[in-house]
């Protein structure tokens, strides 16, 4: 929740509601943070003391911080661990012994991409639905595995059940430049496209974004908010419908080391970091050598429920 800092009167410059937040896990307020030197070390207990609230504070430790500085990752709300997406994530997490959150975020990204042409966010701007997910975990935690298997899961539903073309999502595995991404957008004579950028390592995309005069980062940021981009040139438009609408989703992975190395680039790219859903991967697979195949009846049931959910979006 964006709030005004309780100690705002003590600041040298008055703060704004974009610099101070209360963290909420869906059941309780779990933390306080202000991006400013004056209150950098103050936490939720300080806020409660400021207002004279003596209730016991429950501390939630999410990320172990080993280097200087701090890190914050909110736990997934308990209310979100139910229904269709929970059934999918728990089934595959158990089968492959990998982190539940990876399967959850992969499913959500592909489902959102499948209905992106049909759904608008209920806000004053009527923005298109976008899902930019970035899975962070060390090597061999299952980031690529959850992404690829979930891609095949949705591809099977699109093809087997003959869903409308508007629900199909075209994968883009590499975006070496803004022109390369535009070429993928305009490769077919269509007026509306749903695309999924899913590089094996998102660090490569960030490196391309950092090249001098590259507008790839600007394009990714613009396509989160809009359905076209100001970086398109006249030559690009010659090969596409003048009314082309693009629905871009992102599902990528980074190791913690690469995330740290490219953090400044993510922050500088027009606020691209603020549009990313950061998903922390857990420990390496627990049953790497002995994968337990999902129960076929359970899998078929989830496929049918997913099809119905897409059709009724």
């Amino acid at each position: 929740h964006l709030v005004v800092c309780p100690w705002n009167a003590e600041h040298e410059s008055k703060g704004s509601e974009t610099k101070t937040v209360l963290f909420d896990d869906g059941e309780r307020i779990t933390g306080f943070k202000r991006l400013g030197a004056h209150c950098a070390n103050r936490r939720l207990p300080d806020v409660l003391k400021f207002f004279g609230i003596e209730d016991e504070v429950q501390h939630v430790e999410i990320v172990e911080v080993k280097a200087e500085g701090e890190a914050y990752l909110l736990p997934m709300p308990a209310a979100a661990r139910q229904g269709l997406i929970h059934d999918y994530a728990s089934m595959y997490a158990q089968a492959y012994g990998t982190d539940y959150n990876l399967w959850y975020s992969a499913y959500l990204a592909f489902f959102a991409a499948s209905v992106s042409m049909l759904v608008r966010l209920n806000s004053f701007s009527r923005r298109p639905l976008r899902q930019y997910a970035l899975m962070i975990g060390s090597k061999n935690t299952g980031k690529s595995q959850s992404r690829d298997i979930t891609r095949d899961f949705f591809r099977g539903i699109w093809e087997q059940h003959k869903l409308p073309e508007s629900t199909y999502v075209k994968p883009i595995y590499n975006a070496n430049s803004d022109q390369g991404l535009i070429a993928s957008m305009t490769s077919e004579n269509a007026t509306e496209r749903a695309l999924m950028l899913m590089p094996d390592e998102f660090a490569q995309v960030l490196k391309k974004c950092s090249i001098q005069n590259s507008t790839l980062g600007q394009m990714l940021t613009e396509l989160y908010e809009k359905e076209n981009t100001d970086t398109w040139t006249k030559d690009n438009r010659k090969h596409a419908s003048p009314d082309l609408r693009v629905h871009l989703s992102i599902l990528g992975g980074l190791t913690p080391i690469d995330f740290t190395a490219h953090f400044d680039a993510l922050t500088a790219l027009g606020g691209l970091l603020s549009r990313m859903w950061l998903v922390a991967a857990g420990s390496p697979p627990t049953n790497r050598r002995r994968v337990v195949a999902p129960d076929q009846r359970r899998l078929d049931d989830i496929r049918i429920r997913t099809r119905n959910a897409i059709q009724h979006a």
Side-chain angles (χ1 to χ4, degrees), residues 23-42:
F23 296 122
D24 182 350
D25 69 356
E27 297 180 347
R28 63 183 68 85
I29 299 297
T30 58
F32 167 86
K33 177 64 176 176
R34 171 173 163 75
L35 299 177
H38 185 276
C39 298
N41 296 322
R42 282 173 167 154

Side-chain angles (χ1 to χ4, degrees), residues 276-294:
M276 290 286 184
W277 180 28
L278 305 181
V279 182
S283 59
T286 57
N287 56 342
R288 177 182 301 279
R289 297 181 181 178
R290 190 179 179 183
V291 175
V292 180

Side-chain angles (χ1 to χ4, degrees), residues 152-271:
D152 293 340
F153 174 85
F154 275 86
R155 178 184 294 168
I157 292 175
W158 299 326
E159 295 175 354
Q160 178 182 355
H161 296 286
K162 309 296 183 183
L163 293 181
E165 188 174 342
S166 60
T167 66
Y168 284 55
V169 180
K170 178 183 178 181
I172 303 174
Y173 299 101
N174 294 297
N176 295 323
S177 66
D178 51 351
Q179 296 302 309
L181 187 58
I182 290 174
S184 297
M185 297 176 183
T186 60
S187 60
E188 299 176 16
N189 187 20
T191 58
E192 198 164 12
R193 301 293 307 280
L195 307 173
M196 171 74 79
L197 177 59
M198 41 188 297
D200 194 51
E201 277 294 332
F202 197 71
Q204 297 301 319
V205 176
L206 294 176
K207 289 178 181 178
K208 299 298 181 182
C209 291
S210 62
I211 295 176
Q212 187 175 6
N213 298 325
S214 171
T215 58
L216 178 58
Q218 176 187 345
M219 179 181 297
L220 296 179
T221 304
E222 287 183 359
L223 290 177
Y224 183 90
E225 306 285 349
K226 304 187 301 183
E227 293 161 313
N228 50 44
T229 171
D230 296 336
T231 59
W232 288 2
T233 64
K234 293 182 179 180
D235 290 337
N236 299 140
R237 294 183 185 279
K238 291 179 181 178
H239 304 288
S241 167
D243 299 321
L244 175 64
R245 298 167 63 189
V246 175
H247 302 263
L248 180 68
S249 301
I250 296 177
L251 181 61
L254 274 177
T255 64
I257 294 177
D258 283 337
F259 179 76
T260 301
H262 295 286
F263 182 83
D264 289 341
L266 267 171
T267 306
L269 288 173

